[in-house]
Amino acid sequence: MKFGGTSVADPDAIIRLVGIVGHQLRATPSAPPVVVVSALAGVTDTLVATAQLAEDGAAERAASELRALVERHVAVATAVTSESRTRLLADLRRELEELSGLIHALAVLREVSPRSRDAVLAVGELASSRIVAAAIADRGIPSDWIDARTVLVTDAEHTIAAPDMIETCERARGRVAPVLAAGKVAVLGGFIGATASGITSTLGRGGSDYSAAIFGACLDAAEIQIWTDVDGLLTADPRIVPQPRVVPRISFAEASELAYFGAKVLHPSTILPAVGKNIPVRILNSRRPENPGTRITADGRPEQGQLTAIACKRDVTVIDITSTRMLMAHGFLRRLFEVFERFKTAVDVVTTSEVSVSVTIDDTRRLEAILDNLRNFAEASCEPEMAIICAVGENLRADPTVFGRAVTSLDRIPLRLVSQAASRRNVTFVLRDADVPQAMTRLHEQFFGRQ
Ligand code: ASP
Ligand code: MG
């Protein structure tokens, strides 16, 4: 059970968390949960800012940021504990005093190496996990706090460390499994680990999901729960489609397609360790724990005849490249894409006919140079204010009528490009940006009904 920053933001959130964990333990007493927590909301950002102040030599301002941080943690810790309070506060003070010594030293040096930065950032999760563990214990739930740095072993790529799965799994079996076997909940900080020689490391921003997937994979969890502040992945962006639905089930590959379009609930690569072991990942709302959330699995198993979700990316530019020299010639596409490579511009959608190629880009900073270079060997023109709509669903492969219904629902909306790639789990439409609200609404109605 991973709880993100907003699910441990303040005393109320932590009390809710304790309720959710207690409920889970009563449901599966023989398989107690492992609880993985993020830093309290905003704390990692504050620590990043504090490290920056140290690097700038602003020792006084860094120290005052830290004082505010200590106050916040002490206030939250005091509010959520009783018997454990004295010990918890002593632990927190010690942890935060060490941090202030470190920040002072960095401010003198005016240098923050990646390794030092990890030592600073790790304090957020060390503190939050201690608070949560004490809060859980004080509500009579048998539990142990475990320093995640003694379990999660990483390489020495500080700030973006990668886990050593073999060593980590061995330690998880040695340190975490016995706690669970004794019927207790194990509580660890996410995002943090240590190198083989014991130097504190972090997995990169947002890394707590990754920690949860790693521990879950190592311990053969029945399920990995990502507790956050939304009900799950949505069938469409609520800013465009009124009242989208929560996607009940989605495959890992579908979730990856959607992530590109800014469905920011989680980064799919962070749950790979779980998907690789066929462990379902569930996204749940800690404010509405009774809701079923979204379940991500390797195969997804969508409802028959249904799309899984739709998404869009607005304000893209279409570039059309036409040349009769392309006809039956080889090497044309290489020349074409070399231009985009030279100007470091990513291409999203690509469609081709015999004598023309159309691509979309969203970064138009080098557009003029790109067009100039393309014109050395072809006609090139561009059209701004376009958008990409992406319909995602494993059913697109299995059931040809799904594609037909998608296109039919867009009747009379001019489609500029249509593309379906080899995976055939998505179909992409490029159309005028102005048509997006209508197109998304119609597609959504076709597959998910009116609300
Ligand atoms: N606290 C870390 C961050 O904000 C890790 C996480 O929340 O997943 O990036
Ligand atoms: Mg966070």
Side-chain angles (χ1 to χ4, degrees):
M1 306 177 81
K2 180 263 175 171
F3 292 86
T6 53
S7 301
V8 292
D10 50 37
D12 286 346
I14 294 176
I15 300 300
R16 278 196 297 272
L17 175 158
V18 175
I20 293 167
V21 171
H23 188 267
Q24 180 66 49
L25 183 62
R26 283 191 296 280
T28 57
S30 59
V34 176
V35 174
V36 175
V37 297
S38 288
L40 311 193
V43 166
T44 310
D45 288 335
T46 305
L47 291 169
V48 169
T50 309
Q52 186 59 53
L53 288 170
E55 191 160 54
D56 299 341
E60 247 328 295
R61 285 176 57 207
S64 95
E65 287 280 351
L66 281 184
R67 277 192 296 274
L69 214 56
V70 174
E71 260 169 50
R72 177 170 173 203
H73 282 90
V74 167
V76 171
T78 306
V80 298
T81 52
S82 45
E83 292 119 81
S84 310
R85 188 177 301 146
T86 314
R87 210 179 128 204
L88 171 63
L89 291 180
D91 286 339
L92 287 177
R93 288 227 160 82
R94 185 169 29 74
E95 201 89 70
L96 291 159
E97 253 158 45
E98 265 173 41
L99 173 63
S100 96
L102 172 60
I103 289 287
H104 182 74
L106 296 173
V108 171
L109 292 169
R110 292 192 179 208
E111 188 196 357
V112 181
S113 66
R115 180 166 152 169
S116 308
R117 188 184 153 94
D118 275 355
V120 172
L121 264 54
V123 175
E125 268 72 7
L126 287 171
S128 67
S129 60
R130 282 186 190 275
I131 295 172
V132 165
I136 289 177
D138 281 2
R139 267 156 202 80
I141 299 174
S143 55
D144 273 350
W145 177 77
I146 299 174
D147 186 338
R149 296 171 302 179
T150 65
V151 183
L152 210 163
V153 184
T154 72
D155 63 15
E157 283 292 317
H158 287 281
T159 75
I160 43 159
D164 175 341
M165 286 304 284
I166 292 175
E167 183 59 28
T168 300
C169 287
E170 201 161 294
R171 293 202 194 177
R173 284 189 293 268
R175 298 266 293 125
V176 184
V179 172
L180 307 177
K184 292 190 282 188
V185 173
V187 183
L188 302 93
F191 173 60
I192 60 174
T195 63
S197 50
I199 310 293
T200 300
S201 56
T202 69
L203 301 175
R205 294 302 306 271
S208 295
D209 292 343
Y210 199 12
S211 297
I214 293 164
F215 295 139
C218 288
L219 295 163
D220 286 314
E223 175 175 274
I224 292 167
Q225 302 175 348
I226 306 286
W227 290 89
T228 174
D229 57 356
V230 295
D231 285 327
L233 288 172
L234 297 175
T235 50
D237 184 339
R239 287 167 303 183
I240 300 170
V241 173
Q243 299 185 318
R245 299 183 176 189
V246 173
V247 176
R249 288 186 299 264
I250 189 166
S251 73
F252 174 73
E254 290 171 327
S256 306
E257 300 279 3
L258 287 174
Y260 164 73
F261 290 92
K264 284 203 197 68
V265 179
L266 89 167
H267 194 296
S269 66
T270 61
I271 59 165
L272 257 181
V275 174
K277 287 196 98 178
N278 254 323
I279 301 171
V281 175
R282 212 134 59 95
I283 299 169
L284 293 150
N285 189 342
S286 60
R287 285 178 177 276
R288 288 198 279 265
E290 61 290 347
N291 285 6
T294 295
R295 196 175 152 91
I296 309 173
T297 56
D299 61 1
R301 280 186 292 117
E303 241 173 274
Q304 264 214 323
Q306 268 298 11
L307 280 178
T308 301
I310 55 181
C312 67
K313 181 163 175 166
R314 307 197 64 167
D315 197 23
V316 305
T317 296
V318 174
I319 301 178
D320 294 314
I321 304 117
T322 310
S323 170
T324 46
R325 276 199 264 165
M326 186 179 161
L327 197 61
M328 287 177 280
H330 56 77
F332 184 83
L333 288 177
R334 179 184 52 74
R335 281 184 78 182
L336 191 159
F337 284 114
E338 267 172 4
V339 172
F340 291 91
E341 187 185 353
R342 200 173 316 138
F343 295 101
K344 297 189 172 56
T345 299
V347 165
D348 294 324
V349 181
V350 181
T351 65
T352 76
S353 77
E354 261 328 307
V355 292
S356 73
V357 180
S358 299
V359 305
T360 68
I361 60 172
D362 67 354
D363 174 0
T364 51
R365 285 173 302 175
R366 321 293 297 276
L367 180 61
E368 281 314 314
I370 290 169
L371 290 172
D372 274 353
N373 277 262
L374 289 169
R375 285 179 184 137
N376 289 336
F377 56 92
E379 280 168 41
S381 61
C382 73
E383 206 172 343
E385 286 163 41
M386 306 296 279
I388 303 171
I389 289 185
C390 178
V392 174
E394 300 284 353
N395 281 334
L396 280 162
R397 177 181 1 216
D399 178 352
T401 65
V402 175
F403 178 79
R405 281 165 62 209
V407 175
T408 308
S409 74
L410 298 176
D411 185 29
R412 281 193 293 274
I413 296 176
L415 302 178
R416 192 64 169 62
L417 313 173
V418 179
S419 142
Q420 184 165 42
S423 76
R424 293 196 300 158
R425 70 172 60 85
N426 71 19
V427 51
T428 304
F429 302 105
V430 177
L431 68 179
R432 285 196 311 241
D433 192 75
D435 290 331
V436 163
Q438 201 196 2
M440 287 287 278
T441 304
R442 283 215 232 145
L443 258 176
H444 198 267
E445 260 171 32
Q446 170 66 231
F447 288 95
F448 307 102
R450 273 177 203 274
Q451 290 288 315

